Amino acid sequence: MQTIQKTNDFNEIVNGRRSIKQYDPTVKISREEMSEILAQASKAPSSINMQPWRFLVIDSAEGKEKLAPLASFNKDKVMSSSAVIAVFGDRQNFDYAEEIYGKAVEHGYMPEEVKEFQLNYFKPLYEGISDEQMKDIILLDSGLVSKQLMLVARAYGYDTNPIGGYDKEQIAEAFGLEKERYIPVMLISIGKAMNEGFQSYRLPVDAITTWS
């Protein structure tokens, strides 16, 4: 069984991250520690702080068996990982607006009048937004939290792999979620790597950047 070592070395967290194919199946992540990782990840930025991401943590043998046929090309990652985190976007995320802004007032993060102004301004905008516009917001925010989750996991001594190859049509219903409400974003396998993984070539800054 491998030793899990946390790190605060930002360069190691960023440059040492790899997309892992095979995990040590003996390494388990407690739900308490997973909750800490998700809490840290959830500090990612989001549009008007609506935090539309929702996490489904699949960490039981039964859950993985259910997921495996939906992610058949990634079955090895699913089965050997400590868990797979399915990231969804909630189309009804504005339902939490009152709680989010109310708690911000309660904790002294904003005055009551700012809360009221923000909610009165954004509520009609969100009520009138198209499904496609909402999906764009959700995917952007959920992508931010997913990347942050992978970096936080690395700081906790774990490894990850973002997975886009799975049955997005069936995954919500397979796990008892409302298909029309929750948009599947990606799966993130998490655990302790069996090896260091492979480095990959990245395009130079000059090839991907335009200055103006």
Side-chain angles (χ1 to χ4, degrees), residues 132-195:
E132 199 60 33
Q133 289 172 314
M134 177 60 75
K135 187 175 180 180
D136 285 345
I137 292 171
I138 284 172
L139 291 178
L140 175 60
D141 287 3
S142 298
L144 290 169
V145 81
S146 295
K147 180 57 182 178
Q148 183 139 317
L149 195 160
M150 288 184 274
L151 294 179
V152 172
R154 181 76 183 165
Y156 272 72
Y158 298 110
D159 304 283
T160 57
N161 193 328
I163 300 171
Y166 63 99
D167 192 335
K168 296 179 177 66
E169 285 299 313
Q170 296 189 52
I171 188 167
E173 289 180 308
F175 287 91
L177 301 177
E178 297 175 40
K179 183 177 180 179
E180 298 307 314
R181 175 170 180 170
Y182 297 104
I183 300 172
V185 178
M186 72 176 74
L187 305 178
I188 301 174
S189 58
I190 180 172
K192 190 60 186 174
M194 288 290 286
N195 52 56

Side-chain angles (χ1 to χ4, degrees), residues 32-58:
E32 179 182 15
E33 188 172 35
M34 185 68 80
S35 294
E36 292 177 9
I37 291 170
L38 295 176
Q40 291 290 329
S42 293
K43 294 184 182 296
S46 73
S47 180
I48 66 168
N49 198 29
M50 279 303 102
Q51 307 160 51
W53 47 75
R54 304 291 179 260
F55 304 117
L56 167 65
V57 181
I58 304 164

Side-chain angles (χ1 to χ4, degrees), residues 83-107:
V84 177
I85 302 164
V87 182
F88 291 86
D90 184 359
R91 282 188 170 94
Q92 297 177 27
N93 59 86
F94 202 80
D95 289 354
Y96 290 87
E98 182 65 42
E99 177 181 349
I100 291 169
Y101 281 78
K103 288 292 185 182
V105 172
E106 184 180 315
H107 291 295

Side-chain angles (χ1 to χ4, degrees), residues 1 33 49 76-77 85 99 124 129 154 164 203 205 211:
M1 186 171 179
E33 188 172 35
N49 198 29
D76 289 346
K77 302 185 192 86
I85 302 164
E99 177 181 349
I129 203 169
R154 181 76 183 165
L203 292 168
V205 170
W211 303 90

Side-chain angles (χ1 to χ4, degrees), residues 7 14 66 115 129 198 201 203:
T7 179
V14 173
K66 186 185 295 185
K115 169 205 162 187
I129 203 169
F198 299 100
Y201 172 77
L203 292 168

